[in-house]
């Protein structure tokens, strides 16, 4: 592959925001300055690329952002970038600024955009895994996942207090799109009675049996974690079904929703984002294009974007086994 001289790098965040995105932007920009590169912020993801919302960054832009949730570059899901016309406009804007490489921080949709753009226009791009869902291969953890799990656990601990006081059964719905990583992590970390994930279809009968056996074991409060996107239905739908079989339970439903996306990143996410931000700049300088930088066993690994987004990262079977033992 031809090694291109890179002088100006554009950075963008796209898709659902995730805690640690700011830390990743900051690390990439600081690394760019270290290597005497010009760094550009592309605001509102691919939308801003199409609308020319692009500004040269200086060190003031990245002061006191490492510790903040969200993304100061803002984020969007761009429909127009999915069209060849949208990408043509975006390319013209990058050329006008002289931007010759991209760092795209986001989930699978955002990285797919970077891949397409590289295929069509040859713009060197490196993706960083920025999503609370943890559903990208090529990295043990995505930026934001650890923070989201901590946020979910903190919220569920509070639900536990009131559930115990009233001997109630709670169904708590967590995010993750069609992946159960947050559910499994938060479920084990909050001593859930059961964890329902999209990857496995849990028959309602086995959930009911489990709840009955916990009643026999004198467990008076129960929290069931339901991952959104599950095959057994939403937390509310499952709660309604369970109520029919176990009418004596006082059942409540809580949807944690977008609070899982906010908040200051944990130490883990700050370190992950910082290492990957530097890796993205160094990777581009070394000619690593159309890849995603991830961390596997604490080491930076570059995985072709097509592999990172297509490979099915599996919820760890051993985590499920442990969750089952601990909830019996
Ligand atoms: O991909 C991150 C995520 O928070 C998913 O967990 C969730 O399904 C989705 O984004 C929600 O998207 P939006 O903020 O557009 O409603």
């Amino acid at each position: 592959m031809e090694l291109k001289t890179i002088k100006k790098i554009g950075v963008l965040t796209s898709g659902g925001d995730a805690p640690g995105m700011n830390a990743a932007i900051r690390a990439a920009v600081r690394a760019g300055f270290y290597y005497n590169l010009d760094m550009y912020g592309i605001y509102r993801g691919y939308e801003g690329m199409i609308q020319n919302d692009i500004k040269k960054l200086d060190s003031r832009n990245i002061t006191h952002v490492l510790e903040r949730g969200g993304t100061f570059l803002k984020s969007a899901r761009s429909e127009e970038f999915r069209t060849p016309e949208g990408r043509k406009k975006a390319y013209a804007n990058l050329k006008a600024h002289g931007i010759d490489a991209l760092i795209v921080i986001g989930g699978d949709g955002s990285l797919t955009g970077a891949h397409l753009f590289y295929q069509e226009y040859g713009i060197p791009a490196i993706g960083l895994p920025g999503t609370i869902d943890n559903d990208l291969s090529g990295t043990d953890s995505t930026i934001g996942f650890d923070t989201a799990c901590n946020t979910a656990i903190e919220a569920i601990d509070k639900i536990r207090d009131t559930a115990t006081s009233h001997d109630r059964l709670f169904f708590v719905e967590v995010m993750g799109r069609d992946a159960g990583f947050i559910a499994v992590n938060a479920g084990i970390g909050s001593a859930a009675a059961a964890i329902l994930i999209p990857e496995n279809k849990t028959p309602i009968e086995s959930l009911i049996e489990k709840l009955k056996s916990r009643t026999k074991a004198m467990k008076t409060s129960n929290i069931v974690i339901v991952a959104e996107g599950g095959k057994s239905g939403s937390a509310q739908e499952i709660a309604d079904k369970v109520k029919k079989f176990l009418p004596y339970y006082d059942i409540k439903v809580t949807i944690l929703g977008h609070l899982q996306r906010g908040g200051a990143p944990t130490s883990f996410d700050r370190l992950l984002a910082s290492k990957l931000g530097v890796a993205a700049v160094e990777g581009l300088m070394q000619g690593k294009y159309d890849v995603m930088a991830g961390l596997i066993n604490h080491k930076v690994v570059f995985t072709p974007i097509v592999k990172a987004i297509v490979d099915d990262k599996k919820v760890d079977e051993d985590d499920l086994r442990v969750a089952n033992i601990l909830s019996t």
Side-chain angles (χ1 to χ4, degrees):
M1 184 188 300
E2 183 204 349
L3 184 62
K4 305 196 182 192
T5 308
I6 288 172
K7 295 202 180 100
K8 297 184 179 184
I9 300 179
V11 185
L12 65 96
T13 48
S14 162
D17 64 343
M21 279 184 162
N22 275 328
I25 301 165
R26 174 216 180 234
V29 173
R30 287 209 76 83
F33 292 163
Y34 180 84
Y35 290 112
N36 293 317
L37 305 174
D38 287 340
M39 301 300 289
Y40 286 76
I42 301 170
Y43 288 75
R44 293 178 296 112
Y46 294 115
E47 247 344 80
M49 208 191 271
I50 293 169
Q51 291 168 17
N52 202 17
D53 195 356
I54 301 173
K55 293 180 190 81
K56 194 170 174 200
L57 299 172
D58 62 38
S59 56
R60 279 167 306 175
N61 296 109
I62 49 162
T63 303
H64 294 310
V65 302
L66 163 81
E67 66 275 26
R68 283 175 22 212
T71 160
F72 81 88
L73 288 179
K74 300 189 180 286
S75 194
R77 301 189 198 275
S78 175
E79 281 307 317
E80 201 179 348
F81 195 76
R82 291 176 193 271
T83 67
E85 298 74 33
R87 293 196 290 275
K88 196 169 169 197
K89 280 192 216 163
Y91 178 69
N93 289 329
L94 290 189
K95 280 285 113 189
H97 287 278
I99 293 172
D100 35 34
L102 288 175
I103 296 174
V104 174
I105 308 166
D108 52 359
S110 312
L111 300 195
T112 304
H115 168 69
L116 264 180
F117 210 48
Y118 178 69
Q119 297 290 308
E120 284 176 3
Y121 292 104
I123 296 269
I126 284 203
L128 295 187
T131 166
I132 63 165
D133 300 339
N134 200 30
D135 58 349
L136 286 165
S137 295
T139 192
D140 290 336
S141 184
T142 55
I143 297 166
F145 171 64
D146 184 65
T147 309
C149 291
N150 278 284
T151 303
I153 285 173
E154 199 185 321
I156 299 163
D157 284 350
K158 290 177 177 154
I159 292 171
R160 170 77 65 190
D161 291 344
T162 177
T164 308
S165 304
H166 290 267
D167 290 343
R168 279 177 171 159
L169 164 60
F170 269 81
F171 288 84
V172 180
E173 188 171 295
V174 297
M175 275 189 169
R177 201 177 290 277
D178 46 16
F181 294 99
I182 297 177
V184 171
N185 187 309
I188 293 175
S190 63
I195 305 168
L196 309 189
I197 56 171
E199 292 85 342
N200 292 344
K201 185 158 172 55
T202 309
I204 197 80
E205 297 75 23
S206 63
L207 176 60
I208 284 157
E209 278 319 306
K210 179 148 223 173
L211 291 169
K212 278 184 181 164
S213 76
R214 284 175 63 94
T215 307
K216 274 195 202 125
M218 306 301 283
K219 292 189 168 124
T220 53
S221 76
N222 285 293
I223 293 178
V224 176
I225 305 296
V226 182
E228 66 171 357
K231 297 183 186 74
S232 318
S234 67
Q236 186 63 59
E237 285 163 347
I238 296 167
D240 292 342
K241 281 184 203 156
V242 169
K243 183 77 185 166
K244 285 193 187 126
F245 289 93
L246 305 174
Y248 49 88
Y249 265 115
D250 188 2
I251 298 180
K252 299 283 174 189
V253 175
T254 303
I255 297 168
L256 294 187
H258 286 82
L259 76 81
Q260 294 161 98
R261 288 236 297 257
T266 56
S267 125
F268 180 90
D269 274 330
R270 292 180 197 204
L271 183 67
L272 175 66
S274 299
K275 288 180 93 153
L276 295 186
V278 173
V281 171
E282 293 182 338
L284 284 172
M285 292 170 71
Q286 293 158 8
K288 296 191 169 75
Y289 309 150
D290 201 16
V291 293
M292 185 196 84
L295 217 58
I296 297 179
N297 291 331
H298 308 286
K299 292 272 171 278
V300 172
V301 174
F302 294 95
T303 303
I305 287 180
V306 280
K307 208 166 176 305
I309 56 178
V310 167
D311 268 6
D312 229 5
K313 184 164 163 187
K314 298 269 184 297
V315 167
D316 194 332
E317 283 297 324
D318 200 49
D319 288 359
L320 297 176
R321 192 181 65 82
V322 166
N324 190 42
I325 289 173
L326 296 179
S327 60
T328 308

